[in-house]
Amino acid sequence: MTPTSRALIDQLPGSKIREVADSGIGRADLLPFWFGESDEVTPEPIRRAATDSIQAGETFYSANLGLPELREAIAAYMSMLHRPVTADRIAVCSGGVNALMIGLQAVVDSGDEVIAVVPLWPNLTAQASILGGRVKRISLGFDADAGWMLDVPTLLEQIGPQTRVLLLNAPNNPTGWTLSADQQQQILAHCRLTGTWIVADEVYERVFFGAPAATCAGRAAAPSFLDLATPDDRLIVVHSFSKSFLMTGWRLGWMVVPPRLASAIGKLIEFNTSCSPVFVQRAGLAALRTGEPMVAEVVDKLRQCRDTLLPLLQATPKVRVAIPQGGMYAFFQVEGETDSLAFAKRLVREAGLGLAPGAAFGDEGEGWLRWCFASREPARLADGVARLRRAIGL
C-alpha cells in the first residue's frame, strides 16, 4: 500500500502566501510585503544574550513550562499591562503558533464545535480542524468609513452550550480590526454562561494605534481579556515575542492559562517540543528586561509606516481600504479583481510587488490583498504603491 497521511491532512490547503512568495524567488528587484514580519533584525542586546548563553554551554533541556526566571519576567510584564498575572499561569512555548496549537490540544476534542471570527490567520482554523473540531465561521463586516466591525449580538446568538471554543484574534491579522473592552465584556459574560473556552490570540496587542487601556499605565496596548477575566475563567491568551520585539525567527511565545490548566499544558509541551531552547529563552528574557523602550520605538515606527501607506492607498482610484486600528497590515480591495491569488501572482510577475492574497485567510478574504507595512524604509511603501498603480493601469 502507498503510505499516505490522514485524509483530513491531505485536504488541508497549502499556504497561498508561500505560493505567491515562491513565484517571486530570484527576483532581485522585488519589493516583498507578503509575510507578517518586519524587515528589521532583532536588536543586538537580545541577540547577544542568546550567543552568551550558547557560549556558556546552555544547550540542554529546560523545564517544560520554561525557565522559572523567564516565566516570572513574563508575569511581571503582563501585570504591568493588565490585572496581576502570576508566574504559575505562564507557559513558554516555541512560538505563538505553537502556543495556539498546544492551547487547542488542551481543550478541543474531535467533534467539538469551534467558532472563529474571520477573516483570520489560517493557522488557527486549520489547527482546530486538525484536532477534529467542527469550525463555524462568523464573518466581520466591512464599511468604507467605519472599517471592519463585529456584530456582537449575531456572534453571541451562535455561541451556545454546544460551543466548546471561541477563537478570536484581535488586533486582527489580516484586517487590523480589534475588540473594544465593552465587546470583550459582553463576550466573556456570555461564554461564562455557556461554558465556552475563549482562545484569544493577542500577539498584536502592543501594535495598537488607539488610546491605551486604563490598565496599561499609558503604554500602547489594545484592550485585552486579561483586563476583565479572573484567573479561573475559561480563557487562554496567547502571546509572542515575534512582532513587537522583532523576534519572528526565534520561535518564542507564551500563553496565560488558568492555574488548573498549567499542568496539562506542561504535559502537552513535553509531547510536542519538550521545551523551548534555553538560549532562545535567554534572548526573550533580555527582550523583557531591556525592551520596553524598543517596543515603544517599534510601535512608533509602525505607526509612521501605516500613516505613510494608508493615505496613498486611500488616494488610489479603484482601491477600497480602511485605516487599521492595530497590527501591521493594510487589507484592501482593488475594483474588478476577484481572484486574489491570481492577482497577487500577477503583481509579482508584472510589477515586482509581493503581497499576500486575501484568499489565504479564508473565503471571507477572497478579493482582498494583505500588505504588511512593517518596513525599515517607509519610502519602499510609496514605491510599492506606485507599482500597484501602474499594474492596475493608473
Side-chain angles (χ1 to χ4, degrees), residues 68-251:
E69 55 265 52
L70 178 56
R71 296 174 69 199
E72 290 285 353
I74 291 171
Y77 172 75
M78 299 306 291
S79 299
M80 173 188 73
L81 297 172
H82 308 297
R83 288 181 173 180
V85 174
T86 52
D88 63 336
R89 298 179 60 197
I90 303 297
V92 177
C93 300
S94 297
V97 65
N98 178 241
L100 288 163
M101 187 64 175
I102 289 172
L104 288 173
Q105 286 174 351
V107 297
V108 173
D109 274 325
S110 181
D112 281 347
E113 179 177 276
V114 177
I115 290 181
V117 174
V118 295
L120 184 63
W121 184 50
N123 291 40
L124 277 79
T125 51
Q127 288 171 337
S129 296
I130 289 168
L131 295 170
R134 297 180 294 106
V135 178
K136 180 187 292 187
R137 305 169 73 90
I138 304 296
S139 184
L140 297 170
F142 179 80
D143 178 86
D145 296 320
W148 293 91
M149 301 171 293
L150 175 64
D151 187 330
V152 174
T154 296
L155 172 66
L156 299 187
E157 286 174 3
Q158 297 298 315
I159 300 172
Q162 79 285 354
T163 308
R164 180 62 172 171
V165 172
L166 171 63
L167 282 176
L168 288 166
N169 167 222
N172 174 257
N173 173 12
T175 65
W177 159 81
T178 195
L179 281 161
S180 69
D182 179 65
Q183 290 173 323
Q184 289 175 330
Q185 184 64 71
Q186 294 177 60
I187 292 168
L188 179 62
H190 185 82
C191 288
R192 283 170 173 162
L193 293 175
T194 61
T196 299
W197 282 88
I198 298 172
V199 176
D201 176 355
E202 297 187 357
V203 301
Y204 294 98
E205 80 156 352
R206 300 302 305 274
V207 187
F208 179 64
F209 308 115
T215 53
C216 293
R219 295 174 174 85
S224 169
F225 281 100
L226 293 173
D227 299 326
L228 307 169
T230 68
D232 290 327
D233 275 315
R234 294 188 174 193
L235 172 68
I236 297 172
V237 175
V238 170
H239 278 277
S240 172
F241 284 90
S242 291
K243 311 301 180 178
S244 50
F245 292 101
L246 303 178
M247 294 177 66
T248 50
W250 295 81
R251 312 316 306 133

Side-chain angles (χ1 to χ4, degrees), residues 22-39:
D22 288 346
S23 74
I25 291 175
R27 285 285 300 268
D29 64 334
L30 187 122
L31 290 177
F33 301 108
W34 37 44
F35 295 135
E37 64 180 350
S38 172
D39 56 8

Side-chain angles (χ1 to χ4, degrees), residues 309-368:
L309 176 64
L310 269 296
L312 293 173
L313 288 176
Q314 288 181 317
T316 301
K318 302 183 182 181
V319 168
R320 190 165 73 136
V321 67
I323 303 291
Q325 296 176 291
M328 54 179 65
Y329 311 106
F331 203 52
F332 68 99
Q333 282 182 319
V334 174
E335 182 182 314
E337 299 292 346
T338 57
D339 186 333
S340 60
L341 181 60
F343 185 36
K345 288 183 175 180
R346 180 167 75 82
L347 288 174
V348 171
R349 185 173 62 252
E350 298 179 6
L353 179 62
L355 303 177
F361 305 93
D363 292 343
E364 302 80 9
E366 183 56 283
W368 296 76

